[in-house]
Amino acid sequence: MTFRSFAHRSSIFHLRYLVLAVIAIYTFTCLFNNAAFRPSNFKPSPTDFKPSYYTNSREFRFTNLSVHPVSGKQTVLVLTLVRNRESWGGDRSFSDFLSIVLGFDYPMSNINLGVLASDKNEFKAITDYIKQLPDDRNPFRQIHVILREKDAGISREDRKAESAQRDRRRLIARLRNYLLYTTMRDEDSILWIDSDMTRVPNDLLGRMIDSGKDVITTATRSGPSGGFIDLNAWVGERIKPSAEEQETIEKGGIFVPGPKSVKFTHELHGEFRELDSVGVTVLFVRGEVHREGVAFTTNYIIGAGWKYEGYDGIESEGLCYVAGFLGYKCWGMPHAIAEHSEN
């Protein structure tokens, strides 16, 4: 027998065994997936049967391959949450929000957009609008729209009730984090803008980037002449629970945190002032800060135990608390005033 014929027969021999092995593995897999043939001690992972927290999830991604970022300029991801049509404020819509972004004195080719909607009708309205945009209204490299719909929620009328704040802000934190980590790629910075903001200074984004600071927010008022409303951005001391209130917290009861001796952003002076907490009406975060785990806390983190909530520091207020332990600082811009819908 020649070496060539021996090698040929050896190859056929190994090929037969390979085919038999594949058939055996396939047969075993089919039997194992049949409940009647599973071992008696087999237990599926809990996640196999865990229902989704959301009733409807979808994504739409628009990418314009002809758009190229301007060299030497940071790339920015602009993010917003919207529950439904009413979330834009009054008779406003996604088009009005887009106008705010388009008004920035910054290269649009360096900006990506991310939107998370919690209503399927608004998700459709947004995506339909994007699809019909002319080029001069859609100069962005990428727009990513996400639907995360949930059956029940807190109505817009009840959202300021003290008893609703824990659950409301926990859900908002979850949605913000999902939007952030689903859409963020290689952008240098993230700019959060509330969906019902009506005016943001055109030069604000550039000033925030040029400052080199980690986390920055603005002063925010209601309409062009209303009072200042973003009371989540402050520096100072907050109230702490009494022993009786702490016991209530540990039993799952509600404690409402609030200011003891604080100054809010609009009460400060100077171009930049350091803060202990920020709001998210307009919030700038360097990409590195978010990527290292500084996100929106989903529970009251200050004073929390292994089995119970803390008494303060949920959502954006917890963001600065976490950032501080990593060496990052939060800042306010008292004289950079953004405007929120009066509705």
Side-chain angles (χ1 to χ4, degrees):
M1 179 186 298
T2 65
F3 176 80
R4 179 175 297 180
S5 61
F6 173 81
H8 177 68
R9 291 184 182 182
S10 178
S11 298
I12 294 175
F13 178 82
H14 285 95
L15 180 61
R16 287 174 180 172
Y17 270 90
L18 179 61
V19 172
L20 288 173
V22 170
I23 293 173
I25 292 171
Y26 176 79
T27 303
F28 178 80
T29 302
C30 291
L31 290 174
F32 190 80
N33 285 334
N34 186 325
F37 290 91
R38 286 177 183 164
S40 59
N41 63 348
F42 171 74
K43 292 183 178 180
S45 166
T47 57
D48 290 347
F49 297 99
K50 184 178 180 181
S52 172
Y53 184 73
Y54 303 93
T55 57
N56 196 358
S57 296
R58 295 178 60 192
E59 292 187 27
F60 167 86
R61 185 177 297 154
F62 172 88
T63 303
N64 190 343
L65 297 177
S66 65
V67 173
H68 302 286
V70 174
S71 177
K73 286 281 189 178
Q74 285 197 16
T75 53
V76 181
L77 176 61
V78 176
L79 298 177
T80 193
L81 295 181
V82 54
R83 183 180 178 190
N84 52 33
R85 175 88 181 180
E86 295 178 357
S87 300
W88 302 110
D91 59 354
R92 299 174 71 253
S93 67
F94 174 69
S95 172
D96 297 284
F97 178 83
L98 201 61
S99 295
I100 290 176
V101 181
L102 290 169
F104 287 143
D105 297 332
Y106 202 78
M108 292 297 112
S109 58
N110 288 51
I111 294 178
N112 293 332
L113 293 183
V115 182
L116 187 149
S118 297
D119 173 76
K120 62 185 177 184
N121 294 324
E122 190 57 28
F123 173 83
K124 184 178 185 302
I126 295 169
T127 53
D128 285 349
Y129 184 83
I130 293 170
K131 291 173 185 176
Q132 58 81 42
L133 276 176
D135 290 343
D136 63 338
R137 287 282 292 175
N138 188 7
F140 309 106
R141 190 164 48 118
Q142 188 167 96
I143 304 177
H144 195 160
V145 187
I146 300 169
L147 171 65
R148 295 286 275 178
E149 194 171 33
K150 189 174 179 291
D151 276 342
I154 300 168
S155 69
R156 191 170 178 83
E157 293 75 22
D158 297 333
R159 65 180 181 155
K160 295 300 182 183
E162 290 185 345
S163 60
Q165 292 312 297
R166 182 176 64 187
D167 291 340
R168 170 182 171 266
R169 297 192 70 186
R170 191 194 318 281
L171 177 58
I172 291 174
R174 293 177 71 159
L175 293 174
R176 288 196 192 283
N177 292 336
Y178 188 89
L179 172 61
L180 171 66
Y181 290 117
T182 302
T183 57
M184 181 171 60
R185 288 172 177 76
D186 59 351
E187 292 88 357
D188 300 299
S189 302
I190 314 299
L191 181 65
W192 294 88
I193 304 176
D194 266 2
S195 58
D196 46 2
M197 297 301 294
T198 57
R199 191 187 77 85
V200 178
N202 293 351
D203 64 346
L204 182 66
L205 177 56
R207 290 169 61 191
M208 288 176 157
I209 291 173
D210 292 342
S211 74
K213 298 189 182 303
D214 305 316
V215 180
I216 315 170
T217 191
T218 63
T220 302
R221 67 186 176 198
S222 177
S225 57
F228 288 92
I229 62 170
D230 191 357
L231 305 184
N232 295 328
W234 49 265
V235 59
E237 186 180 358
R238 301 264 282 184
I239 59 174
K240 296 180 180 179
S242 64
E244 183 179 345
E245 290 170 328
Q246 181 62 37
E247 186 177 349
T248 299
I249 292 172
E250 294 179 17
K251 291 180 179 179
I254 294 175
F255 172 80
V256 181
K260 180 179 181 180
S261 176
V262 306
K263 284 187 177 294
F264 300 105
T265 304
H266 65 275
E267 296 175 323
L268 302 172
H269 301 284
E271 184 178 8
F272 293 96
R273 289 293 300 273
E274 191 170 347
L275 299 176
D276 291 322
S277 173
V278 293
V280 203
T281 52
V282 180
L283 179 66
F284 173 89
V285 184
R286 286 199 301 112
E288 176 185 350
V289 178
H290 269 324
R291 287 185 180 92
E292 290 191 357
V294 177
F296 300 92
T297 51
T298 54
N299 66 290
Y300 287 113
I301 191 172
I302 301 174
W306 285 108
K307 302 293 185 180
Y308 55 85
E309 292 262 1
Y311 60 83
D312 209 339
I314 197 170
E315 201 221 343
S316 64
E317 290 169 311
L319 183 146
C320 285
Y321 180 79
V322 175
F325 285 100
L326 300 184
Y328 297 120
K329 293 183 177 181
C330 294
W331 300 85
M333 299 179 70
H335 303 308
I337 299 174
E339 293 174 12
H340 189 278
S341 168
E342 295 175 294
N343 297 303

